[in-house]
Amino acid sequence: MLDLYTWTTTNGRKPVIFLEEVGSLPYRIHPVDLGQKQHMAADFKALNPLAKIPALVDSEGPGGKPATIIESNAILWYLAGKAGRLGGADEAARLTVMQWLMFQAANTGPTCSNLHFLRAVLPERPPSEVARHAREARRVFEALEARLGQAPWLGGDYSIADIAHYPHIKREADNNPEFKEFPKLLDWVARMDARPAVQKAMTMKMG
Ligand SMILES: N[C@@H](CCC(=O)N[C@@H](CS)C(=O)NCC(=O)O)C(=O)O
């Protein structure tokens, strides 16, 4: 059994999208209400010492032993291996998927999160900081736009690289006026929006 400790946030929804896409791995959600600071509780920190969701516990991990996995993209990678789905069909494809998974963890996720925080959460919204992070986000969008000129999906075929990107990119598509300048990325968002598993995971109530 897979026990997913998560919440209704960008990173929190990623493993849920995957699990709904494959439909073959039974899982339970354990809501970790960030508003209630449940991620700071000792029992959650025992799963992730950084106190961030999501975390996954697999009662039948490698070697049949229980395993705890942290970091949303590592969770996606683990689950793709376990299901034998959406991680790339051969070595070359897996390498491509891994690059875009890393790209998300290193660039798309932090950049879009910083911009969102400055734009929507921080009350003072310092203009020079918002502009700096908007510039960085634009670089990410330009790179993704270029990638989508080479292949229909970030990993070549639809994969965990797309799932990893979707929640942060969707929030930008909905809130960032510059996003309309990236037609291939807009089309990718529309194709992701249309997937039933994505719709289910993105609206799933937790807690
Ligand atoms: N790199 C981590 C980031 C996880 C992350 O930032 N989680 C957020 C929610 S999306 C969180 O737990 N925030 C609570 C906090 O930072 O205190 C991952 O991809 O799993």
Side-chain angles (χ1 to χ4, degrees):
M1 174 57 80
L2 296 169
D3 288 291
L4 180 62
Y5 296 79
T6 195
W7 192 238
T8 56
T9 61
T10 47
N11 292 304
R13 299 250 188 222
K14 294 178 191 176
V16 187
I17 298 176
F18 179 88
L19 289 162
E20 290 300 325
E21 283 284 7
V22 299
S24 58
L25 299 175
Y27 71 101
R28 293 184 292 227
I29 287 193
H30 301 265
V32 181
D33 187 333
L34 300 183
Q36 302 285 327
K37 300 266 181 250
Q38 288 175 353
H39 56 306
M40 294 297 177
D43 57 348
F44 184 71
K45 281 193 185 171
L47 298 178
N48 184 354
L50 192 58
K52 287 181 188 274
I53 61 95
L56 179 75
V57 178
D58 185 357
S59 59
E60 291 173 76
K65 298 195 182 117
T68 301
I69 305 106
I70 58 171
E71 285 296 322
S72 57
N73 290 2
I75 292 171
L76 289 175
W77 184 249
Y78 174 75
L79 290 174
K82 192 172 174 89
R85 297 269 319 275
L86 304 182
D90 56 26
E91 206 181 331
R94 281 192 288 279
L95 180 60
T96 305
V97 169
M98 178 52 95
Q99 286 173 56
W100 290 101
L101 210 51
M102 290 289 190
F103 184 97
Q104 197 285 334
N107 302 300
T108 312
T111 301
C112 293
S113 291
N114 285 333
L115 180 58
H116 169 71
F117 180 76
L118 283 162
R119 188 179 56 207
V121 183
L122 198 67
E124 53 269 35
R125 288 180 199 149
S128 62
E129 278 302 289
V130 174
R132 185 165 75 85
H133 286 85
R135 262 196 317 274
E136 283 302 307
R138 202 180 168 85
R139 281 176 75 175
V140 167
F141 301 155
E142 282 168 0
L144 294 174
E145 181 79 1
R147 172 60 187 154
L148 291 168
Q150 300 168 333
W153 300 101
L154 296 173
D157 294 328
Y158 179 63
S159 76
I160 51 175
D162 299 290
I163 295 174
H165 272 81
Y166 178 73
H168 288 97
I169 291 294
K170 171 68 176 166
R171 188 168 62 196
E172 289 309 303
D174 290 346
N175 294 291
N176 190 334
E178 293 188 20
F179 203 86
K180 62 179 181 313
E181 297 170 40
F182 299 94
K184 294 190 179 65
L185 208 40
L186 275 169
D187 178 69
W188 175 89
V189 169
R191 284 182 281 128
M192 292 294 292
D193 285 346
R195 298 185 74 89
V198 170
Q199 292 167 9
K200 185 171 176 193
M202 293 300 287
T203 53
M204 192 178 282
K205 301 250 184 301
M206 298 178 198

